[in-house]
Amino acid sequence: MNFAIVVCSSSSRNLKPVESIEVVGTMQVNNIALIAVSPKENRPIAVNYRSQVQKGMPARFIFECARKLEMKPLTSATAAILFHRFFRELNDTEYDPYMIACSCLYLAGKIKDDKVRKRDVINVAHNTINRGAPLLEPCDEYWSMWDSIVQAELFIARVLKFDMTIVHPHKYLLHFMKSLKDLFGAKKWHSMPVARAAASFLQDFHHSPKILDFKPAHTAVCCLALAFQVYGFQVPLMEESDEQSTQWYNVFCPELTRETHWEIMEHIMEVYDIESNIGEK
């Protein structure tokens, strides 16, 4: 993940920054301070997937493997969506989530024409679960994983009724960013970290199955709204208004209510609770 959201009481005045992170923005919600922090060095936490039992671990596994396989962000997002859709249909205790995750990665590569070799998926997955293990040479375990990925790929397709169509929020996010850049002015827009933060929030939200519950356009505009809130920027010509007034995001999504807007942002922030819990262990 590119960011973490630290939640603390607004009365906490003696917080000292951790040496490995830097504060990039804050926002206040209902007397709760939300502090966005970014690692000074991009060193992801090495998770022991064998010992971690939190629900978000397989999704985190997908993104870690996708990064090692140098997959495009849209491909890893597709793999996560396939994974969440699969386990929304079936009980997640009946199937190995990590094997399903491997098959989702391989399948997403085909769907987005970002193909990776099955051998690479097997070795990256094996090394990610078994930290420090050497490359898996052709052996019984190797061919067992190969067959499992092939069978799981077909099974995933059947469970999803061969419907691999995914409408990603990314295209809406790019459209909204272009409109906002015109509103702010190119120089001002490029000087702000809002676009990068919003893209990171969107990618990280794919760790949660909640992303399936909302319209892609709503998700995209809420990632932008969260970035604006965290960094304290205000959209030009849109003064802070009361609850009865039209909000700036309604220009893009007229049907998006204030309640749904806050609900989506809360779900995005919840994703970072898992990451903070991992860091404490």
Side-chain angles (χ1 to χ4, degrees), residues 185-258:
K187 184 176 180 180
K188 173 68 174 176
W189 178 255
H190 290 306
S191 70
M192 300 189 303
V194 170
R196 178 179 175 274
S200 296
F201 288 144
L202 176 56
Q203 199 71 359
D204 290 346
F205 192 27
H206 284 79
H207 286 246
S208 170
K210 292 288 184 182
I211 196 169
L212 302 179
D213 297 338
F214 304 102
K215 294 180 179 180
H218 292 181
T219 298
V221 81
C222 287
C223 289
L224 272 169
L226 182 58
F228 277 121
Q229 290 278 0
V230 166
Y231 283 100
F233 291 109
Q234 189 171 320
V235 177
L237 309 178
M238 297 294 290
E239 298 294 335
E240 287 294 333
S241 52
D242 57 48
E243 294 187 5
Q244 304 302 319
S245 302
T246 300
Q247 303 295 319
W248 68 267
Y249 50 79
N250 290 129
V251 175
F252 300 122
C253 303
E255 73 285 0
L256 178 59
T257 64
R258 190 181 183 88

Side-chain angles (χ1 to χ4, degrees), residues 2-8 15 21-28 32-38 193-194 196-197 201 226-233 269:
N2 298 303
F3 290 90
I5 302 292
V6 179
V7 183
C8 61
L15 294 176
I21 65 173
E22 60 178 324
V23 176
V24 298
T26 63
M27 66 181 287
Q28 186 109 356
I32 298 295
L34 304 176
I35 307 174
V37 299
S38 177
V194 170
R196 178 179 175 274
F201 288 144
L226 182 58
F228 277 121
Q229 290 278 0
V230 166
Y231 283 100
F233 291 109
M269 291 185 287

Side-chain angles (χ1 to χ4, degrees), residues 27-47:
M27 66 181 287
Q28 186 109 356
V29 180
N30 297 331
N31 203 36
I32 298 295
L34 304 176
I35 307 174
V37 299
S38 177
K40 288 182 178 177
E41 297 182 11
N42 189 18
R43 292 181 181 177
I45 300 169
V47 177

Side-chain angles (χ1 to χ4, degrees), residues 17-159:
V18 180
E19 290 184 0
S20 60
I21 65 173
E22 60 178 324
V23 176
V24 298
T26 63
M27 66 181 287
Q28 186 109 356
V29 180
N30 297 331
N31 203 36
I32 298 295
L34 304 176
I35 307 174
V37 299
S38 177
K40 288 182 178 177
E41 297 182 11
N42 189 18
R43 292 181 181 177
I45 300 169
V47 177
N48 185 343
Y49 291 103
R50 290 186 176 277
S51 63
Q52 292 284 350
V53 295
Q54 291 144 296
K55 274 208 162 187
M57 289 300 99
R60 193 185 195 285
F61 171 80
I62 286 175
F63 283 97
E64 181 174 346
C65 290
R67 186 180 66 253
K68 292 176 179 177
L69 291 165
E70 298 183 345
M71 287 180 154
K72 299 173 184 175
L74 206 57
T75 308
S76 58
T78 298
I81 292 294
L82 292 173
F83 180 86
H84 294 317
R85 285 177 58 191
F86 176 86
F87 280 112
R88 181 155 289 192
E89 297 291 334
L90 299 175
N91 191 323
D92 60 358
T93 61
E94 296 181 7
Y95 303 95
D96 180 359
Y98 293 103
M99 186 54 66
I100 296 297
C102 291
S103 294
C104 287
L105 280 166
Y106 186 63
L107 187 55
K110 290 183 177 180
I111 293 172
K112 305 307 293 184
D113 197 23
D114 185 19
K115 295 180 181 179
V116 292
R117 293 181 299 181
K118 201 175 301 175
R119 180 180 68 185
D120 293 336
V121 173
I122 290 171
N123 272 301
V124 165
H126 181 266
N127 183 267
T128 302
I129 292 176
N130 304 280
R131 301 289 183 184
L135 287 177
L136 197 61
E137 298 294 338
C139 60
D140 289 344
E141 185 179 4
Y142 177 91
W143 292 115
S144 176
M145 287 186 69
W146 181 290
D147 291 339
S148 295
I149 288 175
V150 171
Q151 293 174 19
E153 180 185 355
L154 296 173
F155 185 51
I156 291 167
R158 288 199 299 270
V159 169

